[in-house]
Amino acid sequence: MIITDEIIEYVSSLARLDLNAEEKIKIKGEIEKIIDYMDILNTLDTADVEPMSHVLPAVNVFREDEVVPSYPRDEILKNAPDSDEGAFRVPKTVE
Amino acid sequence: MAFYEWTPLETASKIRNKEIGVRELLEATLAHAVKVDNEIGAFLRFENEYALKKADEVQAKIDRGEQVGTLAGVPFGLKDNICSKGMETCCASKILGGFYPPYDATVMKKLDEADVIMIGKTNMDEFAMGSTTETSYYKATKNPWGLDCVPGGSSGGSAAAVASREVPFSIGSDTGGSIRQPASYCGVTGLKPTYGAVSRFGLIAYGSSLDQIGPIATTARDCAEIFEMICGYDEMDSTSMPMEIKVLDQIDDGVKGLKIGIPRSYFGEGLDPQVRDAVLKAAEVFEKSGAEVEEFDLSMLDYAVPAYYIIASAEASSNLSRFDGVKYGFRSESAEGLRDIYLKTRTEGFGSEVKKRIMLGAFALSSGYYDAYYNKALQVKALIKKAFDDAFAKYDMILGPVAPTTAPKLGESLKDPLAMYLSDIYTVSANLAGLPGLALPCGFSREKMPIGMQLLAKAFDEGKLLRAGVLYQRETAFHEKMPAVIGEVGEE
């Protein structure tokens, strides 16, 4: 299939990536080539096949909702690029 | 024999018998590793302070006569996508640079509690996306057998560190071959366990339905020892299976009476004849040792790589959405406003291979293309799983190559990404079907580069793989060969 500029725009906005013109051309070409190759899957008849997410018999795991200590807040925040008063700090989002 | 030639089990026994002190061994290991690593670049960071402190603790335990783990005092390298408390862990990426996890991954915790000593974090492809370790933001690692060749990937640092005898073993992760392929390229032994056998808690996720952590060492026996140490249910990973897996109780049982299938499709076009011959020679070793070996038809091989890259990229696009410049790591300095922080941080922080896979995954999951790509890939995955179920109804194990060729030259693979993806043809199926796979060295090419073979078994049959590996390594000596670079560095 043909990967259009619109698809690249749309997908990069979904992925929160702001690619420059050069990157867009490169990624477009590479994705087109890869998708082309992936189209081999369409030669398989899968009409009656259930899509498989888990290969093993996975079941939901339940536990009691108990309050237990978590990681120390200041250790978590030490990794943040910006923090203040025990919270992650980001620019103002609401006017 | 120099200390760095000892396997993990040999090292541990010398420590227990007080032939060498834990600190003495560790200091020698660090000095040797730093020297060799100047040539190889397997490690991103050494953690001397942590390791030396740990060494003294382990020695004190031994001196007090306390019970210690079977690999007590043995140094190892940990792949940089596995969390180590208070020690930088960044998946060889820029965006997670400066991340100091507040907790240990379960695997790290288990090894730490078993008195094994982590000495540093090993290089890898950024977020484990790559087959050469060249997509690392920090540096490329060299193959110890040919310094102009790649070590493979994504656990290239882990494999090169063992091949160059910087450490007796290392821990890697395998999403589509990332333990087995670098082990093969570097002439060492690597185990990708069954999905759910080893806890993924603390492994920074790439493709959550495919990722598994496993050991890389020089021998299958050592891999068995390490595997038993790290496997098991973990309440922090609800996909880990609540069952006990034992491999050591059958480790010397050999292969007599086992049925080994060789898929004809694995030996077709695209496979280097030198690799083919080495793997078929290995089949003869198993046959002579009492296994029944026969060729058979395994379908679906051509569909594994496309299905794999759709599923892995889709999961990656979701997993990597957490890197937004707010909670950890890098934040773009030029950003204004929250949306701009996301956009600029991710655009500046991710490398091009990672961006491409995020885009590919976001595309496969987007409305309009979801059914044609993502859903289709999940259906194909079901068919691949079925093909393996049918094969394992007849065979105990499947034998084939790990990769179509020996290690490519540095700088070659990234020029043609599709060709690089295609070179994962023999390894990705095990991840899609959740199966265990063992890579073992089985020969050398004319250029003196290692060749690897791969054994696959049904889920939770690691025991069979490892005993076949132990038998093979009793009959052959490929795993004992060491690259010349070690001696050359040592003589300086």
Side-chain angles (χ1 to χ4, degrees):
Chain A
M1 82 172 265
I2 294 170
I3 302 291
T4 61
D5 290 344
E6 287 71 31
I7 292 178
I8 292 294
E9 284 300 330
Y10 172 59
V11 173
S12 57
S13 101
L14 287 177
R16 293 286 185 275
L17 290 169
D18 185 17
L19 307 176
N20 64 34
E22 196 184 320
E23 271 182 307
K24 272 183 200 158
I25 293 168
K26 185 166 177 268
I27 282 196
K28 187 179 148 191
E30 288 184 0
I31 287 188
E32 194 159 80
K33 208 170 147 192
I34 292 162
I35 292 285
D36 235 14
Y37 168 66
M38 284 171 172
D39 282 334
I40 186 185
L41 297 184
N42 293 322
T43 61
L44 276 176
D45 180 10
T46 52
D48 301 324
V49 182
E50 236 354 84
M52 177 181 266
S53 323
H54 290 280
V55 280
L56 297 172
V59 286
N60 278 332
V61 179
F62 293 102
R63 61 170 169 78
E64 290 306 314
D65 188 16
E66 286 164 354
V67 178
V68 289
S70 185
Y71 303 109
R73 179 185 293 231
D74 51 326
E75 270 186 46
I76 300 277
L77 288 172
K78 247 193 272 173
N79 282 305
D82 196 3
S83 67
D84 194 17
E85 292 178 37
F88 296 111
R89 196 177 140 102
V90 293
K92 200 169 173 183
T93 51
V94 184
E95 288 301 324
Chain B
M1 199 192 237
F3 70 90
Y4 52 77
E5 295 177 51
W6 302 337
T7 67
L9 283 162
E10 286 164 359
T11 309
S13 119
K14 286 180 198 290
I15 288 172
R16 265 197 315 275
N17 298 336
K18 311 222 168 156
E19 287 171 49
I20 190 164
V22 182
R23 182 180 260 268
E24 186 191 348
L25 172 84
L26 186 69
E27 281 174 346
T29 300
L30 285 168
H32 172 73
V34 167
K35 207 155 65 174
V36 177
D37 215 46
N38 281 335
E39 301 293 323
I40 305 299
F43 278 87
L44 288 171
R45 282 159 242 109
F46 287 104
E47 296 290 352
N48 296 32
E49 199 185 321
Y50 162 83
L52 288 165
K53 185 166 164 275
K54 177 84 187 163
D56 290 340
E57 285 167 21
V58 174
Q59 188 66 62
K61 260 174 113 170
I62 294 171
D63 293 344
R64 286 195 302 265
E66 282 175 39
Q67 178 91 25
V68 290
T70 46
L71 295 180
V74 176
F76 75 99
L78 187 66
K79 190 174 178 180
D80 199 38
N81 59 352
I82 301 174
C83 289
S84 45
K85 187 176 178 180
M87 290 178 273
E88 194 175 2
T89 302
C90 69
C91 294
S93 76
K94 176 182 179 184
I95 203 164
L96 201 52
F99 174 58
Y100 293 81
Y103 57 86
D104 275 332
T106 298
V107 164
M108 172 66 196
K109 189 162 168 257
K110 283 190 170 198
L111 289 168
D112 188 62
E113 284 170 359
D115 312 304
V116 199
I117 303 175
M118 199 275 277
I119 68 158
K121 305 302 280 280
T122 54
N123 198 18
M124 56 186 281
D125 283 295
E126 181 182 351
F127 287 103
M129 297 181 193
S131 313
T132 64
T133 308
E134 290 169 298
T135 73
S136 165
Y137 173 69
Y138 299 94
K139 61 180 175 187
T141 298
K142 292 171 185 164
N143 190 311
W145 289 95
L147 299 182
D148 55 344
C149 292
V150 302
S154 66
S155 311
S158 293
V162 174
S164 59
R165 306 301 193 266
E166 292 181 41
V167 275
F169 81 92
S170 64
I171 296 291
S173 70
D174 191 314
T175 304
S178 284
I179 287 174
R180 292 161 286 158
Q181 185 255 35
S184 170
Y185 283 178
C186 291
V188 292
T189 305
L191 174 71
K192 179 252 167 212
T194 308
Y195 186 77
V198 176
S199 168
R200 292 180 295 112
F201 177 69
L203 167 68
I204 296 166
Y206 162 16
S208 311
S209 77
L210 309 160
D211 299 338
Q212 262 297 285
I213 296 172
I216 297 174
T218 45
T219 75
R221 187 181 297 277
D222 288 284
C223 284
E225 195 71 45
I226 300 154
F227 171 66
E228 232 178 58
M229 217 168 264
I230 61 175
C231 73
Y233 177 70
D234 176 17
E235 63 173 18
M236 302 300 278
D237 174 6
S238 55
T239 62
S240 64
M241 292 301 274
M243 61 189 283
E244 203 184 11
I245 309 163
K246 290 275 168 219
V247 292
L248 293 170
D249 54 1
Q250 55 174 299
I251 200 74
D252 288 309
D253 288 359
V255 294
K256 201 164 183 182
L258 293 186
K259 291 189 80 170
I260 300 178
I262 298 185
R264 284 190 191 94
S265 53
Y266 280 35
F267 292 83
E269 208 185 315
L271 179 65
D272 180 337
Q274 297 191 80
V275 176
R276 183 193 63 212
D277 293 350
V279 175
L280 292 177
K281 246 196 153 106
E284 288 173 21
V285 172
F286 290 122
E287 203 161 22
K288 275 195 199 119
S289 306
E292 246 181 85
V293 182
E294 68 179 32
E295 291 186 9
F296 77 109
D297 288 311
L298 179 68
S299 60
M300 302 297 299
L301 180 66
D302 291 341
Y303 306 102
V305 168
Y308 167 79
Y309 274 96
I310 292 172
I311 292 169
S313 301
E315 293 181 8
S317 77
S318 167
N319 277 324
L320 271 62
S321 63
R322 70 186 53 146
F323 301 106
D324 57 5
V326 174
K327 301 180 290 294
Y328 23 58
F330 166 78
R331 175 187 285 187
S332 168
E333 278 169 16
S334 65
E336 290 167 33
L338 188 60
R339 192 185 148 82
D340 207 35
I341 284 186
Y342 298 156
L343 281 173
K344 290 218 167 86
T345 297
R346 291 167 63 80
T347 306
E348 294 166 26
F350 288 131
S352 62
E353 183 62 30
V354 174
K355 283 186 222 177
K356 186 171 64 197
R357 293 197 197 188
I358 291 174
M359 292 276 290
L360 190 60
F363 168 78
L365 290 174
S366 65
S367 62
Y369 301 103
Y370 181 94
D371 281 330
Y373 292 96
Y374 184 63
N375 207 51
K376 184 83 184 182
L378 292 184
Q379 290 173 312
V380 173
K381 173 179 167 176
L383 294 175
I384 290 171
K385 168 82 165 48
K386 179 158 189 318
F388 278 98
D389 286 347
D390 292 347
F392 289 122
K394 279 194 289 186
Y395 303 104
D396 296 289
M397 276 180 279
I398 291 175
L399 171 66
V402 178
T405 63
T406 55
K409 297 265 188 263
L410 281 155
E412 263 179 14
S413 305
L414 297 181
K415 280 188 228 150
D416 187 353
L418 184 57
M420 183 177 83
Y421 295 179
L422 286 172
S423 71
D424 295 341
I425 186 158
Y426 305 119
T427 47
V428 293
S429 298
N431 302 79
L432 288 170
L435 308 171
L438 179 68
L440 298 159
C442 68
F444 288 87
S445 68
R446 281 184 295 274
E447 298 77 24
K448 302 276 186 310
M449 292 303 287
I451 298 173
M453 65 159 144
Q454 171 176 236
L455 287 166
L456 299 172
K458 70 176 189 332
F460 302 106
D461 241 355
E462 278 85 353
K464 273 182 196 155
L465 297 180
L466 290 161
R467 69 192 237 209
V470 166
L471 172 118
Y472 182 77
Q473 292 179 338
R474 201 155 57 210
E475 300 296 320
T476 60
F478 301 115
H479 62 290
E480 290 169 2
K481 300 267 182 288
M482 287 197 298
V485 66
I486 305 170
E488 287 158 16
V489 170
E491 280 157 22
E492 272 165 27

